[in-house]
Amino acid sequence: MSAIEIKHLTYTYSKKTPFEHTALKDVSFVVEEGETFGIIGETGSGKSTLIQHLNALIKMKDGEGTILGKSLKDKKQLRQIRFDVGMVFQYPEYQLFADTVEQDVAFGPKNMGLQKVEIERRVRRAIELVGLDFEKFAKRSPFELSGGEKRRVAIAGVIAMEPKILVLDEPTAGLDPQGREDILALVKKLKEEVCPTIIIVTHNMDEIAKEADHIIALFKGEIIYNGTPLEVFSHEDFKEKTRLEYPTATYIANEIRKQGVDIKQVVTPEELVSELARIKEGKNV
Amino acid sequence: MFKDISFGQYYPANSFVHKLDARTKLLLTIVFIVALFFIPSNATNRVDQAWYGYFGYMVTFAVLLVVIIFARVPIGSILKSIKGVLFIIVLMAVINLFVSNQGEVLWAWKRLHITDTAVHTTIKLILRLVLLIIGASILPLTTTPVAIADGLESLLKPLGWIKVPIHDMAMILSIALRFIPTLFEETQKIVATQKARGASFDTGNLFKRAKALIPILIPLFVSSFRRADELAFAMDSRCYNATNKRTKYRVNRMGWRDLLAFLFMNAYLVVILLDRYYWVFEMDRIIFGGWLGK
């Protein structure tokens, strides 16, 4: 069973008004369980609309979709789907509202109607998973934390619901380089320990090239490319068709190739380094 | 995603009425309302027949038809504004139908009775309210909120002479209007986030529902204060000073369209006044006298 199957999804905002705007056009894709799945596209390409369909925040109108075997069109299942798919939105720190970190993280589990003991267990586990000291942070106000800490608390709030699929919308937006690295390390840790299926929405091609097993690239609501990072970034018209940039490693490899050097397609810095090493050795021999 | 959706009723089009100066539309809306209230809705000692006034409403209807055609807004969006107050109109009509004691009794049951005068005044009351709402909806349908705020500021300028801080008030109004779509977008985002955490806003009793709003309102307040702070900084860093004499980026000028619109609406006002004070409902007698007059 695939984690997510979406078929022929089309969505139009403000239908039949002068503000009508088609955000998604005939979108179909499959996410396998255990995959890290990347969704890339320029601003306004429909990424946010797409992910809001995945936990039924937007009701599916045209198309079919199943999440872990449950239909997105079956009204009785929507609540369960919402708990199965954890959603970390852009700048999630803006969702914080409670008096203490503990209460804020407990909001989701409480809405699920869990027992008090279970809620406490989950809250403690989630706060520790995101790398915060429970004893130190639990009773503090979320509003007096630093930006990076706030984001961790917000992510903990989603993790505490123990979702089976985790969707992260621009998880590193607005963070400094160290903060980005920390959050990416956290995502990796969450994938290993909590939730193997992860969907990341991003503008950052370097991050997605490194993390994702599979990518879809959206442009004006349509899927332009669907494949592994290597497949997607190998397209020569990638830049024109999606208005995105290549990952830095791919860009450098492309420039080297233009100089007449026979270099294989790469997407990550590690691949680039080993490819350059191979060429260097070949020349020395 | 929602950036191009303005709030309110504004219907974008490139019509004659859209191109009118906002001040023209504001003033003419007032002219229209004044004229409408000169058409009698009930019989008094000066209006001796209950059915006098139908001609005035016919003229009003024709005038509105012309305005709507020139505004190129769909009838649906105009009717929508009536839908909101339909309940009040029906309620007033029903009460009005039973209160009049004048005229011939058409129907009676216990202490309730309906007279022919009541029927006429009720019909005219409904006409007056419906036409009033249609007429008043033309302004917001064809004018952006910002243009209305600018127009108001310009029209209220004379109040500045008696030290009313018109400019400050206009600035507050424009900032408020400017941030409605932004906050709307923000609210939608926060609602989506909290819904994703399992919050529901439409179950439980009133107290529970009010409590469910806390996770929305607190983040919204926090972000509003943050935005206000940023805006204040931005204004300060541009040396904004409300007390200075400031020029405007958009200068509104009246043109031939405004002149035509003024002539048209004032002609309408004159017809209504003539009908009431000079012809004294002669037109009503000519058109309706045959089957309503006895």
Side-chain angles (χ1 to χ4, degrees):
Chain A
M1 186 177 65
S2 309
I4 296 175
E5 265 189 83
I6 300 290
K7 279 183 200 151
H8 309 296
L9 168 61
T10 296
Y11 189 80
T12 308
Y13 279 106
S14 314
K15 237 179 186 168
K16 288 177 188 158
T17 73
F19 305 108
E20 186 171 303
H21 167 67
T22 302
L24 292 172
K25 262 181 252 166
D26 195 19
V27 167
S28 304
F29 64 93
V30 176
V31 180
E32 298 298 340
E33 255 176 279
E35 230 176 14
T36 299
F37 192 87
I39 300 176
I40 55 175
E42 59 166 356
T43 308
S45 59
K47 294 170 296 185
S48 297
T49 313
L50 179 57
I51 59 167
Q52 288 189 52
H53 275 93
L54 299 183
N55 73 344
L57 280 174
I58 298 178
K59 281 192 186 110
M60 192 168 251
K61 281 183 188 144
D62 303 320
E64 296 291 326
T66 53
I67 308 289
L68 298 164
K70 298 184 188 83
S71 170
L72 276 171
K73 287 197 151 170
D74 183 356
K75 278 188 184 151
K76 285 176 209 148
Q77 308 261 38
L78 291 187
R79 197 170 158 78
Q80 192 53 48
I81 287 175
R82 208 161 274 175
F83 296 143
D84 284 347
V85 182
M87 189 76 72
V88 178
F89 284 97
Q90 248 177 67
Y91 299 102
E93 52 274 28
Y94 295 157
Q95 76 185 31
L96 301 174
F97 71 95
D99 293 339
T100 67
V101 168
E102 196 180 16
Q103 282 172 18
D104 206 287
V105 174
F107 182 67
K110 257 188 200 159
N111 287 328
M112 294 173 80
L114 298 171
Q115 297 287 320
K116 210 180 160 204
V117 185
E118 174 69 4
I119 293 174
E120 275 169 18
R121 181 191 72 78
R122 285 186 176 206
V123 169
R124 178 179 279 272
R125 178 162 178 256
I127 292 176
E128 278 167 1
L129 262 172
V130 297
L132 298 175
D133 184 350
F134 181 81
E135 308 302 333
K136 209 173 131 194
F137 283 91
K139 301 290 177 206
R140 285 176 68 182
S141 161
F143 294 104
E144 60 187 33
L145 305 179
S146 75
E149 287 166 349
K150 274 186 196 165
R151 189 162 295 190
R152 279 160 191 274
V153 171
I155 293 175
V158 176
I159 295 300
M161 296 169 73
E162 304 196 341
K164 300 194 177 79
I165 300 169
L166 186 63
V167 182
L168 299 132
D169 189 357
E170 295 273 0
T172 58
L175 293 178
D176 58 19
Q178 185 59 47
R180 279 167 180 269
E181 233 167 73
D182 291 349
I183 290 289
L184 287 179
L186 171 61
V187 171
K188 258 197 182 140
K189 188 174 157 200
L190 294 177
K191 186 180 169 72
E192 279 160 18
E193 295 183 25
V194 199
C195 175
T197 312
I198 286 192
I199 296 176
I200 301 178
V201 177
T202 186
H203 281 128
N204 190 316
M205 296 306 127
D206 287 333
E207 279 170 13
I208 208 74
K210 221 165 144 186
E211 308 297 333
D213 303 313
H214 201 102
I215 292 181
I216 54 172
L218 290 172
F219 182 69
K220 293 202 168 155
E222 285 178 275
I223 294 186
I224 305 286
Y225 301 116
N226 183 345
T228 64
L230 189 62
E231 284 165 6
V232 169
F233 294 125
S234 293
H235 290 279
E236 278 176 15
D237 52 1
F238 173 80
K239 240 178 116 167
E240 292 76 46
K241 282 211 170 158
T242 60
R243 293 206 199 142
L244 295 167
E245 291 291 331
Y246 285 109
T248 315
T250 313
Y251 171 75
I252 294 170
N254 287 348
E255 290 300 309
I256 294 173
R257 197 173 303 114
K258 273 187 205 157
Q259 303 295 318
V261 179
D262 181 28
I263 184 168
K264 270 194 215 155
Q265 193 57 266
V266 298
V267 293
T268 66
E270 289 78 13
E271 287 169 13
L272 179 65
V273 168
S274 70
E275 196 46 27
L276 288 174
R278 186 187 64 81
I279 292 165
K280 193 180 167 199
E281 262 168 41
K283 278 209 175 138
N284 284 347
V285 169
Chain B
M1 204 82 19
F2 299 91
K3 267 177 201 118
D4 37 40
I5 297 181
S6 61
F7 88 105
Q9 303 170 296
Y10 182 64
Y11 186 91
N14 195 19
S15 75
F16 183 93
V17 181
H18 281 79
K19 283 182 193 150
L20 288 175
D21 193 303
R23 288 169 292 181
T24 310
K25 283 183 268 189
L26 276 164
L27 289 174
L28 293 184
T29 302
I30 296 169
V31 168
F32 172 77
I33 293 169
V34 168
L36 190 60
F37 276 85
F38 269 103
I39 308 171
S41 74
N42 52 347
T44 60
N45 45 2
R46 298 187 66 185
V47 183
D48 48 349
Q49 291 292 338
W51 45 274
Y52 283 175
Y54 283 130
F55 170 72
Y57 288 113
M58 275 171 64
V59 174
T60 312
F61 184 75
V63 163
L64 278 182
L65 216 57
V66 171
V67 173
I68 290 167
I69 287 166
F70 274 90
R72 279 204 235 139
V73 286
I75 297 293
S77 57
I78 294 172
L79 294 182
K80 226 187 254 169
S81 49
I82 297 179
K83 224 170 101 185
V85 283
L86 196 64
F87 174 73
I88 298 171
I89 294 178
V90 170
L91 188 74
M92 282 175 77
V94 169
I95 293 171
N96 201 62
L97 203 54
F98 294 104
V99 291
S100 180
N101 290 318
Q102 299 166 346
E104 209 176 299
V105 175
L106 298 174
W107 176 91
W109 179 73
K110 291 192 180 166
R111 291 180 64 189
L112 294 175
H113 58 271
I114 297 174
T115 66
D116 61 344
T117 307
V119 172
H120 284 304
T121 53
T122 304
I123 292 172
K124 286 194 288 184
L125 182 80
I126 294 170
L127 281 173
R128 176 184 275 183
L129 287 172
V130 169
L131 293 171
L132 176 74
I133 291 159
I134 292 176
S137 72
I138 300 289
L139 173 73
L141 275 169
T142 61
T143 323
T144 59
V146 175
I148 294 177
D150 273 356
L152 266 178
E153 184 190 356
S154 172
L155 287 176
L156 293 177
K157 226 169 227 163
L159 287 178
W161 301 333
I162 53 166
K163 296 263 154 60
V164 179
I166 290 300
H167 179 77
D168 293 324
M169 284 158 66
M171 195 59 178
I172 291 166
L173 189 62
S174 339
I175 290 175
L177 288 171
R178 158 64 186 79
F179 275 94
I180 287 173
T182 311
L183 288 180
F184 181 68
E185 201 180 326
E186 189 95 15
T187 312
Q188 280 185 322
K189 266 188 201 161
I190 298 169
V191 167
T193 319
Q194 307 298 27
K195 264 192 179 169
R197 294 214 277 165
S200 62
F201 307 107
D202 36 23
T203 52
N205 56 31
L206 198 66
F207 183 71
K208 262 192 180 162
R209 283 190 206 193
K211 222 180 147 191
L213 288 179
I214 293 174
I216 307 291
L217 291 179
I218 290 179
L220 194 60
F221 271 114
V222 171
S223 84
S224 303
F225 280 117
R226 186 168 41 81
R227 276 180 203 287
D229 221 31
E230 282 166 7
L231 184 67
F233 268 129
M235 287 169 87
D236 261 350
S237 64
R238 286 165 180 74
C239 305
Y240 177 80
N241 184 352
T243 54
N244 272 354
K245 279 209 164 155
R246 302 178 61 84
T247 52
K248 284 219 168 251
Y249 175 61
R250 268 181 305 234
V251 181
N252 296 317
R253 284 206 180 82
M254 304 238 180
W256 59 273
R257 286 192 186 85
D258 299 277
L259 183 68
L260 275 180
F262 268 110
L263 288 176
F264 180 70
M265 288 309 285
N266 283 310
Y268 161 67
L269 178 65
V270 168
V271 168
I272 296 298
L273 291 179
L274 280 176
D275 179 48
R276 177 155 193 167
Y277 294 109
Y278 187 70
W279 301 328
V280 201
F281 308 113
E282 182 59 31
M283 297 304 286
D284 277 312
R285 281 190 293 279
I286 292 171
I287 300 169
F288 304 105
W291 53 288
L292 288 175
K294 278 162 229 118

